[in-house]
């Protein structure tokens, strides 16, 4: 038999397949008891490895390419409908003559008949025969049957699992659980339901007809032992298991429990005996071998243990505990390579098993010592040098690995594998630029060898990514994906590159692909979460970050981003929880976690907490105006105006030319009716920022109120320029209104009055018509000696607001002058403004001067 | 890892006791050979106070003592044992059927998988090492932040040390139980998480300067 035959596989270059085959054959040859068999196997393995290395072809990884994970479920078996159908039951009619009660009695007598004989009872066929008997398929006796059956079972409840299931299928107990709980004792129904649902019940198939004993009593003790063992009630368990053993000593379930019981009381001698007995009774079952194997390992009887694990694996070749036991035997035999191989297989199949990972580390440490020893006698042995270098690399001892490879290179022509290892080692030593040189050499040599460049490209991609050579890294990872498009790590790294280069849509695309290839890596969700975050897909980003923090609880930035998403989604309570975690875990990349937390509290109207957090933000970020603005807003809501003012002023001092702050302060003082202060900030605002229409309107109003005609005229000129520059044809009617009043007040010339009147008429054309405006217009026409319009507009003003006393006084005054003298020729009448001065303030366009409650928006990029 | 120099002339027993908390000490760049391994600077003390509050809700001596008591009498080790008693009662076939019947994403599923894989390797104490290690860590933090005196810290730690020494038979066994406990607490069976757990003990297991390499498990305490 050639070595492929010994390994039991076809010729292959896939090292994984060879290793797997070797690992699976290891259990067949005991290294000490069958040294020849073991030696042959090992030689076969080594030869296979050598041959594979020589003929390694590019397509070694293609085997996985077409293996898409199956998404299809197994076909669900459609169970026949066993419910009674009254209309189609022909037998029912034949039974009409028999009383229902008799039928129920007949059924129950057959139940008793089956139950009373233990071996009839545990045979499912007897029950099936009864339950399928169409004589009892009558709907109106079903309930009665069910009740009678349950009453019977209250005293007779030792049945195998399959019988319980058959009864449940017939009586629908599990479907009508609630109803049963209403009618029967809770503990009894619990028992019934557990018997049906428990997949791991004790078996009835090992009892012997020719062995006379009280099986019911046996089952009672066995059940007691079972539940006592589950609850680790060892005293109770011991009593029950011994009583059961006295009745029937050959039940595998009981013997297994006996062995476990002895293990728990740390009586390994009796435990071993029990498991030996179990093996004798039922050698086809894995439990005896497995448990005894581990007892033997603890007693350092490795040779014997080996055979137990071998037998266990003959029963179930995939059993992880048995494989671990076998690996442990090899470890104790000091067959380190074999032990490592087996542990690696276990690690691959059971990724969460830490013991195998730990053993690999320990084995590597031992292997290093072993190789170093071997090299003292044979320092130039290239095979040992290479193995030593690889082991150092696995242990992340990069310096030592580097030295070893250098030594190796002196003694051997270098192949692509060695260049690759050297490149990776240098990368491990953070000598990334040097490592690139060796990856390139590896690629050239691999091309000459005709070997696969997949790994080389992948690892060079990683280094290029580290060095921020993004385009090169993209080429490398794309190259690996051409060879194997299901490489999740390459997909992930591509998404990382796109993220770092601000190409978020591509980052999203590749992270999606990485996740659909391997959904177990939290880091893939992190990259996707960030891509979604940048793309403002907050709902998706939130979900991704939820996965990230579940895996990496202390990942403060992930908590922050999750919180930010919740904030955007108006989920303030969740946002608060996340920001708190981010702060607790010392988030560093984002400086405004306290501010965001404060905002979330603000939204929930918890202003006290909001204030505390805003203060924290200000302490940590003394030069950031946002915290002070938020503090000002909070104080305003709390009605502490002086503190609000202090906070806004503090922010203003930090950034005296901030548009936002000038406006906040302007409006803040406006709302406090401190018009001079408001004027001061708004003047500065419109002097710096020429494009804020609302600010112009409010400022013009202030100019009216404060009689600042020069500033008002200049502001209106700037405002008109803004309109012209932006090709806006419609002037705001309020702006024009206020400006008209400024002209009028500046007045005392007919030409000015005419101009003011024209502009006010224009305001009316634009749709603004209020009492103030009309009253002003009436006064202007009064100055222009236009009796008709003067009276008309004075009247209209009163019509709009009949309660306004000023309008009335003006109207009556104008009329008075008309009555006493001829209005048109009156030359020395007093000016309207001094005769009927305007006492109240002009109406300000209502919405534009409102200061928002909150001046920091949740998603704002701050100044 | 730096060689232990034992500047405070601690006894072997005291060094051994501190080594029970070596995983967290290593993680926090703490020395293994002095009680105040994390330092006594204001910054270090603030940091420890923060950790005590954040991770354990401990800000007072009474809360500390109740937490320590919980770690010794219950801890996460008891949850593991409850599950272990159940799982180990079942046959291999029944174990598989039981685990298969659980919802794959549920914590019960994860716990059962972990209990099954470690049942044969871990001693009776299960993963209590995870509780003992944290116990020692808490005592060291509490002493360093003046929640308890140095004397009290040693007395308290001695209690855990006696239990730990009886429960396990080697540093390796203790280490495996510790990370298995952490893994169970995290209810995470991903490969990434397993790698992360291993990283926490790797150096302690192989570095010749590691206290676990220097100190014999059966040091008289």
């Amino acid at each position: 038999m050639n070595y492929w035959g010994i390994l039991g596989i076809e010729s292959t270059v896939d090292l994984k397949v060879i290793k797997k085959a070797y690992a699976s054959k290891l259990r067949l040859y005991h290294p000490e008891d069958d040294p020849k068999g073991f030696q042959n196997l090992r030689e076969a393995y080594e030869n296979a490895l050598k041959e594979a290395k020589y003929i390694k072809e590019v397509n070694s990884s293609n085997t996985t390419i077409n293996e898409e994970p199956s998404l299809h479920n197994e076909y669900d078996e459609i169970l026949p409908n066993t419910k009674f159908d009254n209309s189609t039951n022909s037998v029912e009619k034949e039974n009409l003559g028999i009383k229902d009660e008799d039928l129920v009695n007949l059924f129950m007598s057959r139940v008793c008949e089956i139950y009373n004989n233990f071996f009839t009872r545990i045979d499912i066929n007897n029950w099936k025969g009864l339950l399928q008997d169409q004589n009892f398929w009558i709907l109106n006796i079903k309930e009665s049957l069910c009740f009678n059956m349950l009453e019977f079972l209250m005293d007779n409840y030792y049945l195998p699992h399959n019988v319980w299931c058959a009864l449940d299928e017939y009586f629908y107990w599990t479907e009508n659980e609630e109803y049963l709980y209403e009618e029967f004792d809770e503990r009894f129904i619990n028992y019934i339901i557990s018997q049906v649902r428990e997949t791991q019940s004790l078996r009835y198939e090992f009892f012997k007809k020719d062995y006379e004993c009280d099986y019911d009593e046996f089952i009672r003790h066995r059940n007691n032992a079972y539940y006592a063992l589950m609850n680790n009630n060892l005293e109770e368990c011991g009593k029950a298991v011994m009583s059961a053993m006295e009745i029937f000593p050959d039940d595998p379930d009981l013997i297994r429990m006996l062995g476990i019981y002895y293990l728990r009381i740390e009586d390994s001698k009796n435990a071993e005996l029990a498991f030996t007995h179990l093996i004798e009774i039922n050698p086809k079952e894995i439990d005896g071998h497995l448990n005894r194997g581990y007892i033997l390992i603890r007693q350092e009887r490795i040779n014997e243990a080996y055979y137990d694990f071998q037998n266990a694996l003959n029963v179930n070749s995939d059993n992880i505990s048995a494989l671990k036991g076998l690996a442990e035997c090899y470890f104790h035999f000091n067959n380190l390579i074999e032990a490592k191989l087996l542990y690696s297989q276990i690690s691959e199949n059971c990724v969460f098993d830490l013991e195998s990972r730990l053993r690999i580390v320990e084995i590597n440490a031992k292997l290093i010592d072993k190789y170093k020893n071997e090299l003292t006698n044979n320092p130039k042995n290239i095979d040992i040098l290479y193995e030593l270098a690889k082991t150092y690399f696995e242990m992340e001892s990069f310096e030592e690995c580097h030295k070893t490879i250098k030594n190796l290179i002196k003694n051997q022509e270098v192949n692509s594998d060695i260049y690759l290892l050297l490149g990776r080692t240098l990368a491990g030593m953070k000598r990334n630029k040097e490592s690139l040189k060796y990856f390139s050499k590896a690629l050239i040599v691999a091309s000459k060898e005709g070997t696969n460049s997949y790994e080389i490209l992948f690892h060079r991609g990683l280094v290029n990514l580290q060095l921020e050579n993004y385009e090169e890294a993209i080429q490398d990872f794309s190259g690996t994906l051409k060879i194997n498009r299901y490489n999740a790590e390459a997909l992930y790294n591509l998404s990382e590159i796109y993220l770092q280069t601000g190409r978020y849509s591509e980052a999203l695309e590749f992270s999606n692909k990485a996740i659909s290839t391997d959904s177990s890596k939290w880091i893939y969700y992190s990259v996707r979460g960030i891509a979604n975050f940048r793309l403002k897909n907050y709902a998706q980003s939130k979900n991704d970050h939820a996965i990230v923090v579940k895996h990496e609880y202390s990942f403060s930035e992930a908590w922050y981003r999750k919180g930010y998403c919740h904030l955007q989604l108006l989920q303030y309570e969740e946002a608060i929880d996340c920001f708190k975690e981010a702060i607790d875990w010392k988030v560093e990349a984002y400086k405004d976690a306290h501010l965001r937390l404060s905002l979330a509290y603000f939204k929930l109207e918890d202003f006290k907490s909001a204030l505390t957090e805003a203060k924290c933000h200000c302490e940590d970020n003394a030069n950031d105006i946002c915290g002070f603005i938020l503090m000002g807003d909070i104080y305003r809501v709390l009605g502490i105006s002086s503190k609000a003012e202090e906070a806004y002023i503090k922010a203003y001092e930090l950034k005296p030319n901030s548009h936002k702050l000038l406006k906040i302060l302007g409006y803040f003082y406006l709302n406090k009716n401190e018009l001079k202060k408001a004027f001061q900030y708004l003047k500065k605002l419109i002097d710096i920022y020429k494009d804020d229409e609302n600010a112009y309107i409010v400022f013009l109003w202030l100019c009216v109120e404060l009689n600042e005609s020069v500033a008002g005229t200049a502001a209106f000129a700037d405002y008109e320029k803004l309109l012209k520059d932006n090709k806006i044809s419609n002037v705001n009617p309020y702006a024009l209104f206020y400006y008209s009043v400024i002209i009028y007040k500046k007045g005392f010339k007919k030409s000015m009055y005419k101009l003011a009147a024209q502009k006010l008429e224009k305001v009316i054309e634009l749709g603004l018509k209020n009492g103030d405006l009309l009253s002003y217009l009436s006064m202007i026409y009064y100055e222009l000696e236009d009796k008709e319009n003067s009276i008309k507009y004075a009247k209209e003003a009163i019509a709009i607001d009949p309660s306004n006393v000023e309008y009335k006084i003006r109207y009556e005054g104008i009329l008075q002058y008309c009555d006493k003298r001829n209005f048109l020729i009156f030359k020395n009448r007093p000016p309207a403004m001094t005769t009927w001065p305007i006492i109240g303030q002009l109406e300000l366009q209502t919405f534009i001067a409102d200061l928002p409650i909150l001046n920091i928006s949740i998603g704002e990029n701050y100044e | 890892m730096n060689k232990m120099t034992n500047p405070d002339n601690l006894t072997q027993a005291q060094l051994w006791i501190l080594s029970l908390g070596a995983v967290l000490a290593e993680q926090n760049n703490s020395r293994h050979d002095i009680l105040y391994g994390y330092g006594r600077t204001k910054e270090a003390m603030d940091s420890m106070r923060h950790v005590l509050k954040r991770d354990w809700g401990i800000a007072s001596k009474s809360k500390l003592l109740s937490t320590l008591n919980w770690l010794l009498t219950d801890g996460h080790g008891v949850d593991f044992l409850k599950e272990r008693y159940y799982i180990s009662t079942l046959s291999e076939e029944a174990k598989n059927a039981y685990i298969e019947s659980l919802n794959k994403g549920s914590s019960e599923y994860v716990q059962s998988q972990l209990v099954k894989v470690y049942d044969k390797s871990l001693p009776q104490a299960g993963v209590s090492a995870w509780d003992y290690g944290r116990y020692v860590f808490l005592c060291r933090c509490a002493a360093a932040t003046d929640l308890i005196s140095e004397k009290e810290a040693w007395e308290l730690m001695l209690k855990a040390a006696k239990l730990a020494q009886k429960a396990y038979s080697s540093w390796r066994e203790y280490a495996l139980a510790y990370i298995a406990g952490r893994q169970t607490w995290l209810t995470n069976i991903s490969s990434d998480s397993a790698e992360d757990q291993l990283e926490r003990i790797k150096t302690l297991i192989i570095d010749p300067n590691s206290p676990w390499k220097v100190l014999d498990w059966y040091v008289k305490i």
Side-chain angles (χ1 to χ4, degrees):
Chain A
M1 193 187 288
N2 71 8
Y3 44 83
W4 297 112
I6 294 171
L7 289 169
I9 50 171
E10 295 290 317
S11 167
T12 178
V13 291
D14 191 330
L15 299 182
K16 277 188 180 173
V17 172
I18 297 168
K19 286 181 178 180
K20 205 170 179 181
Y22 181 47
S24 71
K25 294 283 176 192
L26 278 172
R27 67 170 185 267
L28 301 178
Y29 305 98
H30 189 292
E32 285 170 12
D33 294 354
D34 183 7
K36 195 165 181 304
F38 179 71
Q39 190 56 32
N40 285 343
L41 175 66
R42 190 167 196 175
E43 277 172 14
Y45 170 61
E46 283 167 358
N47 285 330
L49 283 181
K50 274 183 196 160
E51 187 176 319
K53 276 181 190 167
Y54 278 117
I55 57 169
K56 204 159 83 174
E57 292 294 341
V58 178
N59 60 355
S60 64
S61 57
N62 285 354
T63 48
T64 57
I65 293 178
N66 297 320
E67 291 172 10
E68 283 195 62
S70 169
L71 297 174
H72 300 291
N73 292 323
E74 294 294 318
Y75 291 110
D76 288 329
E77 193 183 349
I78 300 165
L79 294 167
N81 186 358
T82 55
K83 288 185 181 176
F84 299 134
D85 184 341
N86 210 15
S87 62
T88 57
N89 187 355
S90 58
V91 183
E92 189 199 345
K93 286 174 188 166
E94 293 169 22
N95 286 333
L96 283 176
I98 306 170
K99 282 183 184 173
D100 290 347
E101 201 181 322
D102 292 343
L103 271 175
V104 172
N105 290 337
L106 181 61
F107 182 89
M108 288 315 297
S109 73
R110 285 184 58 185
V111 165
C112 290
E113 207 176 297
I114 296 170
Y115 192 92
N116 287 342
N117 179 310
F118 184 79
F119 287 95
T120 320
R121 180 202 315 171
I122 65 174
D123 185 349
I124 183 70
N125 292 322
N126 296 321
W127 293 97
K128 278 186 178 167
L130 171 64
L131 300 174
Q132 285 167 3
D133 185 340
Q134 296 195 358
N135 285 313
F136 304 110
W137 285 27
I138 298 168
L139 194 60
N140 52 357
I141 65 163
K142 190 76 185 280
E143 194 177 359
S144 180
L145 281 182
C146 178
F147 269 77
N148 278 279
M149 191 69 206
L150 285 167
E151 271 176 15
F152 176 82
L153 289 171
M154 286 174 96
D155 298 318
N156 306 280
Y157 43 79
Y158 295 141
L159 291 166
H161 177 63
N162 56 357
V163 175
W164 283 111
C165 291
L167 291 171
D168 181 57
E169 263 182 42
Y170 188 79
F171 290 112
Y172 306 111
W173 290 327
T174 48
E175 279 181 35
N176 299 302
E177 219 174 304
E178 277 182 37
Y179 175 67
L180 296 185
Y181 277 115
E182 282 170 20
E183 298 294 323
F184 291 89
D185 181 76
E186 188 185 336
R187 283 177 309 160
F188 172 61
I189 300 304
N190 281 344
Y191 178 80
I192 300 268
I193 301 294
S194 72
Q195 292 304 306
V196 176
R197 289 201 176 132
E198 266 187 17
T199 48
Q200 63 281 354
S201 54
L202 299 170
R203 295 166 294 180
Y204 283 63
E205 66 220 51
F206 298 95
F207 302 129
K208 296 171 186 165
K209 279 183 184 169
D210 54 1
Y211 189 93
E212 276 193 28
C213 65
D214 185 347
Y215 281 113
D216 275 326
E217 190 62 1
F218 170 83
I219 291 165
R220 186 174 75 80
H221 289 305
R222 189 179 71 165
N223 277 0
N224 287 345
Y226 185 64
Y227 293 113
L229 199 57
M230 274 180 177
N231 294 307
N232 204 38
N233 184 347
L234 295 180
E235 199 184 331
E236 180 76 28
C237 174
K239 279 183 205 163
V241 85
M242 296 308 169
S243 303
M245 284 296 286
E246 275 176 26
I247 298 169
F248 181 68
D250 289 339
D251 175 56
D253 286 340
L254 182 72
I255 300 166
R256 194 193 66 251
M257 286 194 277
L258 178 68
I260 302 288
Y261 163 75
Y262 280 128
L263 281 179
R264 296 227 191 132
I265 61 166
E266 297 186 329
D267 180 349
S268 56
K269 195 178 161 197
N270 275 317
E272 185 190 336
L273 286 172
F275 291 122
T276 302
H277 186 192
L278 179 59
I279 292 164
E280 286 162 7
I281 297 277
N282 196 8
K284 295 282 175 203
E285 239 170 36
I286 197 167
D287 296 87
H289 294 295
L290 204 53
N291 283 297
R292 191 175 67 179
Y294 275 97
I295 294 170
L296 294 170
I297 280 197
R298 277 193 287 278
Q299 293 174 353
E300 297 186 4
R301 290 155 63 191
I302 310 300
N303 231 7
E304 295 165 73
Y306 175 90
Y307 288 111
D308 267 332
F309 294 124
Q310 190 183 45
N311 286 324
L313 287 165
N314 285 340
V315 177
N316 179 357
S317 60
D318 297 328
N319 187 288
I320 293 291
S321 298
L323 279 169
K324 275 169 76 175
L326 190 71
E328 196 62 8
C329 291
Y330 275 103
F331 180 75
H332 284 280
F333 292 146
N334 211 27
N335 288 113
L336 299 176
I337 300 288
E338 287 72 22
K340 184 176 168 183
L341 197 64
L342 282 167
Y343 277 120
S344 302
Q345 293 283 327
I346 296 161
S347 256
E348 254 178 52
N349 295 336
C350 182
V351 294
F352 52 87
D353 177 38
L354 296 173
E355 193 178 16
S356 50
R357 287 174 191 257
L358 177 59
R359 265 294 184 239
I360 291 168
V361 170
E362 291 170 300
I363 290 169
N364 277 341
K366 279 176 174 265
L367 279 174
I368 286 171
D369 290 343
K370 177 178 171 268
Y371 294 140
K372 275 159 80 177
N373 268 336
E374 287 170 2
L375 283 169
T376 50
N377 299 326
N378 194 358
K380 291 184 180 175
N381 185 311
I382 49 169
D383 289 335
I384 302 173
L385 280 168
Y386 184 54
E387 290 305 319
L388 178 63
K390 279 198 298 184
T391 315
Y392 272 134
F393 183 83
E394 278 182 46
M395 295 290 274
E396 296 176 356
S397 302
F398 299 122
E399 297 283 346
E400 288 83 352
C401 179
H402 185 238
K403 276 185 212 157
T404 312
I405 299 172
K406 286 283 176 191
N407 204 1
L408 177 66
I409 288 172
K410 276 187 220 158
N411 296 298
Q412 191 200 331
E413 196 183 327
V414 182
N415 61 26
S416 62
D417 285 344
I418 294 173
Y419 277 132
L420 172 62
L421 186 61
L422 184 53
R424 292 182 68 189
T425 304
L426 287 165
M429 294 162 78
K430 309 278 176 216
R431 288 158 63 178
N432 284 332
K433 284 188 180 163
E434 279 177 79
S435 79
L436 284 182
K437 198 169 79 184
Y438 289 102
F439 286 129
S440 299
K441 282 188 179 181
L443 276 177
I444 294 165
V445 177
S447 159
K448 283 181 193 164
E449 292 168 352
T451 51
N452 195 343
S453 56
Y454 176 78
E455 273 199 75
I456 306 167
L457 286 172
F458 179 78
H459 291 288
R460 190 174 70 175
L462 290 179
V463 172
N464 272 322
L465 175 56
Q466 285 271 317
L467 290 169
E468 298 180 7
N469 299 333
Y470 295 123
E471 286 311 313
E472 290 85 345
I474 289 172
Q475 280 177 18
D476 286 338
F477 290 125
S478 303
T480 63
L481 289 173
K482 276 181 195 158
I483 300 168
N484 176 7
R485 65 192 168 102
Y486 291 109
N487 182 338
E489 279 292 297
L491 291 163
Y492 152 70
N493 279 297
L494 275 171
S495 69
E496 183 70 53
I497 294 165
Y498 287 123
L499 196 63
Q500 289 187 23
T501 50
R503 291 150 75 179
Y504 303 125
S505 297
E506 284 98 330
L508 184 59
E509 181 192 333
F510 280 98
S511 53
N512 269 330
K513 283 182 183 170
I515 290 167
S516 57
T517 307
D518 179 356
S519 60
S520 72
K521 305 266 184 173
W522 68 266
I523 192 76
Y524 301 173
Y525 293 93
S526 180
V527 179
R528 191 172 72 177
I530 298 171
N532 272 320
F533 188 75
R534 301 282 177 226
L535 292 166
K536 301 189 175 176
N537 301 331
Y538 294 117
Q540 293 90 328
S541 179
K542 176 201 72 180
N543 293 340
D544 284 334
H545 282 108
I547 294 169
V548 175
V549 295
K550 192 180 166 215
H551 282 76
E552 288 294 303
Y553 198 85
S554 59
F555 191 174
S556 54
E557 278 74 23
W559 278 115
Y560 175 91
R561 285 189 285 269
K562 184 167 181 282
Y564 190 97
C565 294
H566 283 300
L567 203 55
Q568 288 288 344
L569 297 166
L570 313 183
Q571 296 160 348
Y572 303 121
E573 282 171 7
E574 293 87 340
I576 286 170
D577 291 341
C578 292
F579 289 128
K580 277 183 175 173
E581 290 291 351
I583 291 164
D584 264 354
W585 292 103
K586 313 267 183 204
V587 62
E588 281 180 1
Y590 301 98
K591 303 289 178 199
D592 58 2
H594 283 292
L595 185 87
R596 303 282 175 191
L597 180 54
S598 175
L599 279 168
Y601 277 129
F602 192 103
K603 292 284 182 184
L604 286 177
E605 299 184 5
D606 179 353
F607 299 115
K608 200 177 157 197
S609 302
L611 188 60
T612 307
E613 296 304 325
K615 281 179 180 171
C616 284
H617 177 79
C618 293
E619 274 172 30
D620 296 345
N621 304 277
N623 292 321
D624 181 26
I625 61 168
C626 298
F628 294 103
I629 294 174
L630 183 54
M631 249 163 77
D633 290 345
I634 298 165
Y635 278 126
R636 217 154 37 86
V637 174
L638 292 170
I640 311 171
S641 180
S642 60
K643 287 273 187 189
E645 182 179 8
E646 206 178 285
Y648 290 143
I649 292 292
K650 177 72 189 165
Y652 172 74
E653 283 166 2
L654 287 169
K655 222 166 184 181
N657 290 336
S658 154
H659 176 275
K660 175 188 264 221
L661 271 166
L662 289 166
K663 200 158 183 174
I664 289 172
L665 279 163
Y667 285 12
F668 174 72
Y669 286 119
L670 191 68
N671 286 311
K672 284 180 78 182
N673 211 25
E674 293 185 33
L675 301 189
K676 281 188 179 168
K677 283 186 182 172
F679 178 86
Q680 173 197 332
Y681 290 105
L682 287 176
K683 177 157 193 328
K684 187 169 177 181
L685 188 149
I686 60 168
D687 281 349
I688 300 173
Y689 304 98
K690 303 281 186 191
D691 55 355
D692 187 334
E693 185 178 22
N694 286 351
Y696 279 119
I697 297 165
V698 178
F699 185 72
L700 286 166
W701 180 88
L702 279 169
C703 290
V704 171
E705 296 301 325
L706 297 169
N707 289 319
E708 292 280 356
S709 59
V710 177
T713 307
F716 192 78
D718 286 345
Y719 172 57
E720 279 188 313
K721 186 173 182 300
L722 169 71
L723 297 180
K724 196 179 161 195
D725 290 348
N726 290 293
K727 294 179 182 158
I728 300 167
S729 52
N730 281 342
V731 63
N732 180 289
Y734 279 93
L736 194 58
F737 169 35
Y738 305 142
Y739 178 54
S740 309
V741 176
I742 289 166
I743 297 170
Y744 165 57
K745 283 188 171 182
K746 210 160 87 178
F748 303 113
K749 273 194 204 164
K750 273 210 169 169
S751 60
M752 297 295 271
Y753 293 144
K754 271 186 184 167
L755 183 64
Q758 277 169 13
K759 289 197 180 294
L760 284 176
E761 293 280 8
K762 171 82 177 165
V763 172
I764 293 169
E765 267 176 43
L766 290 169
L768 176 63
K769 199 173 183 183
N770 62 35
D772 285 351
L773 187 148
L774 294 166
S775 193
Y776 264 111
L777 201 49
S778 75
M779 290 200 287
I780 293 166
Y781 279 119
Y782 168 86
E783 302 294 359
L784 287 169
E785 299 169 11
D786 181 339
K787 175 186 167 189
E788 195 181 332
N789 276 325
S790 177
I791 291 172
K792 175 187 154 198
Y793 286 119
K795 255 182 172 174
E796 280 185 22
I798 293 167
I800 282 178
D801 183 3
S803 64
N804 190 305
V805 181
E806 282 184 35
Y807 300 165
K808 213 171 174 185
I809 292 169
R810 274 179 217 132
Y811 172 67
E812 283 167 1
I814 292 165
L815 281 182
Q816 186 187 356
Y817 282 105
C818 286
D819 289 347
K820 283 185 180 173
R821 300 182 183 189
N822 186 333
F823 189 74
L824 291 171
I825 59 163
F826 174 69
K827 299 285 184 201
N828 297 317
R829 65 191 186 283
M833 240 184 305
T834 49
T835 316
W836 312 298
I838 294 160
I839 297 159
Q841 285 177 346
L842 265 191
E843 181 195 344
L844 182 60
Q845 189 175 5
T846 46
F847 62 90
I848 55 170
D850 281 348
L851 182 56
I853 294 171
L854 187 59
N855 285 286
I856 302 288
S857 70
I858 51 177
E860 189 173 337
N861 282 324
Y862 301 127
E863 289 176 51
Chain B
M1 190 179 290
N2 291 328
K3 205 170 175 179
M4 293 206 293
T5 55
N6 195 8
D8 295 341
N9 285 321
L10 299 181
T11 63
Q12 289 282 293
Q14 285 175 314
L15 290 171
W16 193 94
I17 289 169
L18 293 184
S19 301
L20 289 173
V23 183
L24 277 164
E26 196 62 16
Q27 196 184 316
N28 291 289
N29 296 318
S30 161
R31 292 180 65 139
H32 300 293
D33 55 356
I34 52 175
L35 175 65
Y36 303 121
Y38 308 97
R40 291 268 275 169
T41 61
K42 188 185 174 300
E43 197 187 356
M45 286 167 79
D46 283 348
S47 169
M48 275 182 272
R49 282 194 190 100
H50 177 73
V51 169
L52 285 173
K53 185 81 182 65
R54 178 193 65 199
D55 298 349
W56 296 88
I58 294 173
S60 67
K61 187 174 174 178
S62 62
K63 175 68 180 162
L64 169 80
L65 295 178
S66 67
T67 306
L68 292 176
N69 187 46
W70 174 78
L71 281 170
L72 284 198
T73 52
D74 292 304
H76 293 130
V78 165
D79 297 334
F80 182 89
L81 287 181
K82 274 184 193 161
E83 190 66 26
R84 188 188 199 181
Y85 295 143
Y86 181 76
I87 296 270
S88 68
T89 301
L90 308 177
S91 68
E92 281 295 304
E93 202 183 330
K95 276 176 205 168
N96 294 336
Y98 168 66
I99 292 172
E100 278 307 303
S101 73
L102 299 171
N103 179 344
K104 299 285 177 289
S106 69
S107 59
E108 289 93 341
Y109 176 78
V110 173
Q111 299 275 0
S112 307
Q113 286 277 29
L114 290 169
V115 165
K116 182 172 176 256
V117 85
Y118 298 124
D119 179 40
K120 301 274 185 270
S121 335
L122 293 177
Q124 298 273 6
V127 297
S128 294
W130 164 238
D131 294 323
Y132 300 142
R134 291 180 298 158
Y135 183 102
V136 169
F137 170 78
L138 285 182
C139 288
R140 293 180 79 181
C141 285
T145 53
D146 298 327
L147 268 183
I148 52 173
S149 69
E150 193 173 326
K151 186 167 171 280
E152 282 174 302
W154 286 117
E155 281 169 4
L156 286 164
M157 287 192 290
L158 183 62
K159 278 205 272 183
K162 286 194 167 162
L163 291 171
Q165 199 174 51
K166 202 175 157 200
Y168 300 97
S169 61
S170 66
W171 285 114
R172 183 192 181 274
E173 195 176 59
Y174 177 81
L176 178 63
Y178 182 95
I179 51 172
R182 190 170 194 279
Q183 193 182 28
T184 315
W185 169 65
L186 289 169
T187 56
N188 190 328
I189 50 172
S190 71
S191 172
D192 280 358
S193 177
E195 200 53 48
D196 178 46
Q197 308 316 319
L198 185 70
E199 280 302 315
R200 286 165 195 269
I201 58 160
K202 208 165 158 182
T203 314
L204 285 160
I205 285 286
I206 55 173
D207 194 312
N209 291 326
S210 155
W212 292 357
K213 284 282 187 192
V214 174
L215 297 162
D216 186 73
W217 177 259
Y218 288 111
V219 160
K220 192 165 184 296
I221 52 170

